[in-house]
Amino acid sequence: MFIHLGGDTVIRSKDVITIVDQDTHDSSSITQQFLASREESDIERISSEQTKSVVVTTEKIYLSPISTLTLKRRAQVVSDYDNYNEETEQPNE
């Protein structure tokens, strides 16, 4: 399944490692060091709007204008849907 991060950016939910609130990022020296150590090409600013969330995936880091809470809710909906599908699928006979 997929998660919309804002603008035209959609990522696969299984690629998400973490979603961090921008305020947490600003106050955490470890998070700041992590982002500073990444190549500029590995970081994608989705919009010129204020960054509210930092989404770390297996391939890239996205700076999203969508709140962390909203992104986590979207990810939970995807997870719930995947779990529902697994429970309702019947094995092929």
Side-chain angles (χ1 to χ4, degrees):
M1 298 302 293
F2 299 91
I3 302 172
H4 176 250
L5 300 181
D8 294 331
T9 306
V10 178
I11 59 171
R12 294 186 320 183
S13 59
K14 72 178 189 174
D15 292 342
V16 175
I17 296 170
T18 190
I19 300 172
V20 180
D21 184 77
Q22 180 65 28
D23 292 336
T24 302
H25 163 264
D26 291 343
S27 65
S28 170
S29 62
I30 293 172
T31 308
Q32 290 175 357
Q33 289 173 6
F34 171 74
L35 284 179
S37 72
R38 304 301 298 192
E39 295 290 327
E40 195 170 311
S41 62
D42 291 340
I43 300 173
E44 182 176 327
R45 178 176 292 279
I46 294 171
S47 159
S48 60
E49 296 177 46
Q50 176 185 359
T51 298
K52 296 181 182 174
S53 301
V54 178
V55 181
V56 179
T57 69
T58 55
E59 299 291 321
K60 277 189 149 180
I61 298 170
Y62 297 90
L63 306 179
S64 174
I66 298 176
S67 75
T68 303
L69 182 60
T70 300
L71 292 175
K72 287 183 179 181
R73 284 183 183 155
R74 290 178 183 182
Q76 183 63 44
V77 167
V78 168
S79 176
D80 289 347
Y81 180 77
D82 286 344
N83 291 339
Y84 175 78
N85 278 341
E86 289 173 6
E87 291 172 4
T88 60
E89 287 181 355
Q90 299 295 323
N92 293 336
E93 295 181 28

